[in-house]
Amino acid sequence: MYLYKPCDLEKRISEAYQQNGIIYPSQLDEEYIARKFDILLVESKFGSFAEYCDDLKIVGLHNDLELLKRREVFFHEVGHLFLHVGDQSKMANSFRYFQESQTKRFTLFAAIPYHMLTYIDFSQKRDFIVYEMQETFRVPAEICERRMDYIENKMLSAKLASICS
């Protein structure tokens, strides 16, 4: 892991967590994070959403979501609050797609933050690492797989850069 260097967004998320006392994976709880970041967390019958109403930040989570999916959707919606402004329903499809791709990256970094990667044993085989991430951070395996892909790609890039320089 010594080759792994976080991107700016990863750093910002980890710094925000640490400044709010979110140090341990057990603190990555929707209600706890919502309180720490002054987000009103509500149940919704009509789908999940993120919205600003004056100075109030609101995240609505569909009440039928399974526990792990609920956590993923929570981080996704929080990403919209912290990265974007505007009503996606009034945006061009290309801009909405761009915002969604940004929010998917945010979800990876918020659900499995850089400063908590020390809780994972990266000396193991990938399947075990993904399983350990899933157990530690309580998110779907797909999120863990994508986070591992990101980490491996960053490490490979760093290794290639060191060879080529």
Side-chain angles (χ1 to χ4, degrees):
M1 279 296 289
Y2 73 92
L3 287 175
Y4 185 71
K5 301 287 184 254
C7 70
D8 289 339
L9 181 59
E10 283 179 276
K11 288 179 196 173
R12 285 180 34 219
I13 291 168
S14 280
E15 288 167 3
Y17 278 164
Q18 290 170 325
Q19 288 168 357
N20 282 279
I22 301 170
I23 309 299
Y24 307 106
S26 61
Q27 295 173 302
L28 294 174
D29 172 77
E30 297 92 312
E31 287 79 14
Y32 186 74
I33 291 172
R35 271 195 316 276
K36 288 290 189 175
F37 289 96
D38 296 320
I39 298 169
L40 177 61
L41 183 59
V42 298
E43 295 287 321
S44 170
K45 294 179 185 176
F46 306 107
S48 299
F49 63 89
E51 192 171 314
Y52 272 105
C53 185
D54 296 322
D55 288 337
L56 184 63
K57 297 177 285 217
I58 305 168
V59 167
L61 297 177
H62 193 275
N63 56 7
D64 286 344
L65 291 172
E66 175 268 327
L67 186 66
L68 297 183
K69 188 65 176 174
R70 174 187 166 89
R71 185 173 300 259
E72 175 186 352
V73 171
F74 170 77
F75 288 119
H76 180 92
E77 297 303 340
V78 168
H80 283 299
L81 287 178
F82 287 98
L83 297 174
H84 306 133
V85 294
D87 182 352
Q88 278 194 335
S89 67
K90 297 176 182 172
M91 294 177 186
N93 284 340
S94 59
F95 195 66
R96 186 171 36 249
Y97 176 79
F98 175 70
Q99 283 193 345
E100 286 301 314
S101 66
Q102 285 183 320
T103 305
K104 284 181 180 183
R105 276 191 51 198
F106 179 96
T107 300
L108 297 180
F109 305 149
I112 305 171
Y114 172 70
H115 71 285
M116 294 186 194
L117 291 177
T118 56
Y119 292 97
I120 303 301
D121 180 2
F122 285 94
S123 69
Q124 301 295 321
K125 292 188 184 294
R126 181 186 167 104
D127 289 347
F128 181 81
I129 295 169
V130 168
Y131 173 78
E132 188 176 22
M133 281 182 170
Q134 190 176 5
E135 290 296 307
T136 301
F137 296 104
R138 300 180 321 260
V139 291
E142 177 191 342
I143 296 296
C144 301
E145 290 280 354
R146 288 184 19 229
R147 186 67 164 120
M148 274 303 297
D149 290 345
Y150 184 85
I151 290 168
E152 289 172 346
N153 288 337
K154 288 276 286 187
M155 289 176 60
L156 180 59
S157 294
K159 195 174 194 175
L160 290 172
S162 70
I163 291 170
C164 295
S165 56

